[in-house]
Amino acid sequence: MELQLTGAQILLECLKEQGVDTVFGYPGGTILDVYDALYQTSGISHYLVSHEQGAAHAADGYARSTGRVGVCFATSGPGATNLTTGIATAMADSSPIVAISCNVTSQLLGKNSFQEVDSTAVMRPITKWTHQVTDVAELADVVRAAFLVARSGRPGPVFLDITKDVTQTMTSYAPVHLSEHLARLEPGLLPEGLRASLEPPVVDEGAVDEVARLVLSSKRPMIICGGGVVRSRANGELNRFANLIDAPVAITVMGGGGFRGRDPLTTGMIGMHGSQASNMAVDNCDLLLALGCRFSDRIALQPDTFAAKAKVVQIDIDPREVGKNVHCEQAILGDVRQVLQLLLQRLEPEGQLDHSDWKEFVFSYPTETVYDEEEGHLTPKQVDSVVARLCPQDTIVSTDVGQHQMWAIQHFHYDYPGQLITSGGFGTMGFGLGAAIGAQVGNPTKRVIHVTGDGSFRMNCIELATEEHYKLPIITIIYDNEVLGMVHQWQTLIYNGHYSQTNLDRPPSWPDLARAYGLDGRRVSTVADFEDALREALDCGHGYVIDVVLDRDEMVRPMVPGGQHITNFLAV
């Protein structure tokens, strides 16, 4: 049945058609018709953030933690450009969000109108697809296409810019079933290559046979669990596969939760701040199976010598990533979950493999950093251990970027996809609190911990207002060393102690700031005080900020400098 609706109403109906019940946003002049329609509709909850960047990060955190598409709204000009950091963050980490802004009317485009910017030109390099809607007749198809693009193939962000006159114009609207969306798309709406990528790639069965043969002949197999395992929710299949072939598993920053951190086969993080066990295993294996891993410069720091003794197998859904950074002898193009299922079909009849000697070598190296524990002196491991002991095992952890991020990945043990939410590819300071808000909204029955540093937290701490208003019981733990920790560490190790502009011994007092926003907070400097504060935070039923005093010279260890061989540890 066709209805006569305005463009603003059609937009909301299309969102509901896609199963959207949550939007994060910030209104403004050009998007007011959408907000007016939202006022008169039901079924969509809107969360008003403090800054549009927070809306993008919240949509991203929602998407990563739930596996659904996250949605955010913004107005034109600075509203739209304030979304860019969040959109670029989602693009770097293959997170499916749909960001929607409204622009000036079609007649005012290109005339330097108030709050006008060519936002589609700004967004095009940092999205899977960007489209401006100037004709209400195409609006429904564009919105449907946006969700298809965001969640299909290698997921990622889509940006839609809708002119104000489109939101005001009436036209006919007919609901469409999700299964019909791709078939109904106008042929010219999406670029041909993008449209083709919406269909899952057909896995080459011959390549699967060859990889199975390589596995059976390997004496020293090694697996890298990358972000593709998390995105495809292939954790169950990877657990079966790794234990079947008896291979150690290293985990990338984006792979957290793709393989159980408590599994005896886990070697810990790999790369620049990877464990000695992970890096030594990659350097000595004879077969490296990279699952959903793009071999970034933080993993393959020196590509020419990376896994030089191994035959490298790369399994990825994106053909552009295969062989891009590290040469691979064999590749399988496809969804990681589907490929693992096919490999299991071939290998399970062969029975359990045994690589005890190889594992003995690998695990002779530490999988975690050992710290000198001193009375009254907090270490990152002590903080993380208390969190792991007191919080539920399914607690979601959102991080910002820096030393605290590496410590949280090194020392927490993630059990399922979406449990770790962190900015890996773009390295966005200020990401964590917005992402935690999105994760808490999407997972209201789970505990959400936001781990941050004093440098990152000061960037977007304004979202404490959002946390308080919506009664979100997020616990923020600040690793407070009064410096830009990771940059300070590099200045110590590489720049001869030239601490240029990394000192942060300045206001505010974080507990006082939390109280100003209507939350509670404490500053702690001992393990006992931290444990008391965390218990109080878990029991209080609302947001809480714990300011943890750390030594400014505490380092993330191990560390391999950029461009160096993966076992050239500068600090261990």
Side-chain angles (χ1 to χ4, degrees):
M1 180 181 70
E2 289 196 351
L3 304 171
Q4 290 295 311
L5 302 175
T6 65
Q9 292 170 323
I10 289 171
L11 170 62
L12 296 180
E13 289 302 313
C14 285
L15 294 183
K16 290 192 282 187
E17 187 181 276
Q18 297 292 326
V20 174
D21 58 13
T22 303
V23 173
F24 306 91
Y26 203 98
T30 59
I31 201 172
L32 276 180
D33 288 279
V34 172
Y35 275 88
D36 190 59
L38 182 66
Y39 183 84
Q40 302 173 66
T41 195
S42 60
I44 297 178
S45 297
H46 182 279
Y47 289 81
L48 177 64
V49 297
S50 300
H51 190 285
E52 291 91 350
Q53 183 178 340
H57 291 326
D60 192 352
Y62 179 92
R64 297 188 200 213
S65 64
T66 65
R68 302 169 64 189
V69 178
V71 180
C72 57
F73 286 172
T75 195
S76 62
T81 58
N82 280 346
L83 293 174
T84 54
T85 298
I87 291 173
T89 301
M91 184 67 175
D93 292 342
S94 306
S95 183
I97 69 171
V98 172
I100 299 169
S101 76
C102 291
N103 215 321
V104 298
T105 61
S106 302
Q107 296 83 357
L108 292 177
L109 287 174
K111 296 183 178 180
N112 199 26
S113 306
F114 177 69
Q115 289 193 333
E116 182 207 355
V117 70
D118 188 353
S119 50
T120 54
V122 172
M123 300 296 184
R124 198 164 286 118
I126 55 173
T127 56
K128 281 187 72 179
W129 183 53
T130 290
H131 191 82
Q132 186 175 70
V133 182
T134 57
D135 180 358
V136 71
E138 75 165 5
L139 178 60
D141 279 348
V142 169
V143 175
R144 291 160 182 159
F147 279 82
L148 270 174
V149 171
R151 64 173 174 256
S152 300
R154 179 179 181 174
V158 171
F159 176 73
L160 299 183
D161 189 46
I162 306 168
T163 58
K164 186 175 177 69
D165 50 309
V166 166
T167 67
Q168 298 170 328
T169 304
M170 300 277 291
T171 193
S172 59
Y173 163 78
V176 173
H177 192 273
L178 280 174
S179 62
E180 301 174 328
H181 284 179
L182 184 57
R184 286 174 58 96
L185 285 184
E186 291 293 328
L189 183 58
L190 296 174
E192 186 175 335
L194 180 59
R195 185 185 178 106
S197 73
L198 302 183
E199 299 283 5
V202 177
V203 177
D204 183 342
E205 299 274 351
V208 176
D209 290 337
E210 176 60 19
V211 171
R213 186 191 67 76
L214 291 172
V215 169
L216 292 173
S217 62
S218 171
K219 303 298 183 186
R220 303 187 307 278
M222 181 71 187
I223 297 170
I224 297 180
C225 171
V229 177
V230 173
R231 293 291 171 265
S232 67
R233 292 334 198 222
N235 51 309
E237 285 79 3
L238 178 52
N239 181 67
R240 285 169 55 200
F241 179 71
N243 282 277
L244 175 68
I245 72 170
D246 201 32
V249 181
I251 304 173
T252 71
V253 167
M254 296 313 304
F259 190 73
R260 290 186 70 253
R262 295 173 178 83
D263 193 288
L265 290 174
T266 302
T267 61
M269 188 165 63
I270 182 174
M272 176 174 284
H273 295 293
S275 71
Q276 292 181 64
S278 292
N279 289 9
M280 293 300 295
V282 166
D283 199 43
N284 287 278
C285 65
D286 65 4
L287 176 65
L288 181 62
L289 300 157
L291 310 180
C293 166
R294 60 190 178 89
F295 294 121
S296 77
D297 60 307
R298 287 300 189 262
I299 302 296
L301 296 98
Q302 193 178 76
D304 291 346
T305 66
F306 185 80
K309 301 172 186 175
K311 294 180 179 177
V312 178
V313 174
Q314 191 172 2
I315 299 171
D316 206 288
I317 200 167
D318 188 347
R320 296 169 300 181
E321 295 295 348
V322 174
K324 182 177 77 174
N325 295 324
V326 170
H327 173 73
C328 58
E329 277 73 25
Q330 184 67 52
I332 303 178
L333 187 63
D335 176 80
V336 170
R337 187 176 185 182
Q338 182 186 4
V339 173
L340 284 173
Q341 289 169 349
L342 293 171
L343 284 169
L344 285 166
Q345 288 175 13
R346 287 157 171 78
L347 291 170
E348 283 180 330
E350 301 291 335
Q352 175 76 44
L353 303 181
D354 182 7
H355 296 112
S356 299
D357 291 344
W358 165 233
K359 289 189 301 179
E360 184 178 352
F361 167 80
V362 172
F363 291 103
S364 68
Y365 295 94
T367 60
E368 286 190 51
T369 300
V370 176
Y371 290 86
D372 294 327
E373 310 296 351
E374 299 176 9
E375 186 72 26
H377 173 70
L378 271 173
T379 69
K381 179 63 183 295
Q382 288 174 325
V383 175
D384 294 343
S385 295
V386 172
V387 173
R389 176 162 49 85
L390 297 186
C391 293
Q393 191 167 323
D394 65 350
T395 294
I396 294 172
V397 176
S398 169
T399 84
D400 279 288
V401 171
Q403 288 180 315
H404 67 274
Q405 176 192 31
M406 296 296 101
W407 291 324
I409 295 169
Q410 287 177 334
H411 304 309
F412 289 143
H413 301 291
Y414 303 99
D415 294 325
Y416 63 90
Q419 188 176 16
L420 169 64
I421 302 171
T422 192
S423 173
F426 205 50
T428 305
M429 296 175 69
F431 166 80
L433 183 53
I437 288 169
Q440 188 71 83
V441 169
N443 301 267
T445 64
K446 290 184 178 179
R447 175 64 67 182
V448 175
I449 302 289
H450 167 219
V451 177
T452 187
D454 50 322
S456 288
F457 188 54
R458 69 179 60 242
M459 290 190 171
N460 279 333
C461 57
I462 51 174
E463 296 303 339
L464 288 176
T466 311
E467 178 183 329
E468 189 283 330
H469 179 78
Y470 294 103
K471 310 305 178 190
L472 303 174
I474 298 165
I475 300 173
T476 290
I477 300 173
I478 306 171
Y479 290 69
D480 189 353
N481 51 13
E482 294 190 341
V483 291
L484 287 173
M486 190 63 84
V487 185
H488 179 88
Q489 176 170 331
W490 280 59
Q491 288 174 333
T492 299
L493 295 175
I494 301 173
Y495 290 90
N496 300 315
H498 297 166
Y499 301 117
S500 177
Q501 305 304 314
T502 50
N503 197 331
L504 297 179
D505 57 346
R506 62 197 65 186
S509 158
W510 300 119
D512 287 345
L513 182 70
R515 286 187 281 272
Y517 278 109
L519 306 174
D520 285 330
R522 282 178 63 180
R523 182 175 172 87
V524 300
S525 57
T526 68
V527 175
D529 285 347
F530 176 69
E531 185 166 332
D532 287 344
L534 184 57
R535 289 185 188 277
E536 183 176 302
L538 289 166
D539 292 340
C540 74
H542 54 72
Y544 200 106
V545 174
I546 305 176
D547 185 21
V548 179
V549 178
L550 289 183
D551 189 290
R552 66 175 53 206
D553 292 318
E554 193 70 77
M555 293 191 185
V556 178
R557 296 177 284 130
M559 176 180 171
V560 179
Q564 296 288 315
H565 185 66
I566 197 168
T567 60
N568 288 349
F569 297 106
L570 184 59
V572 295

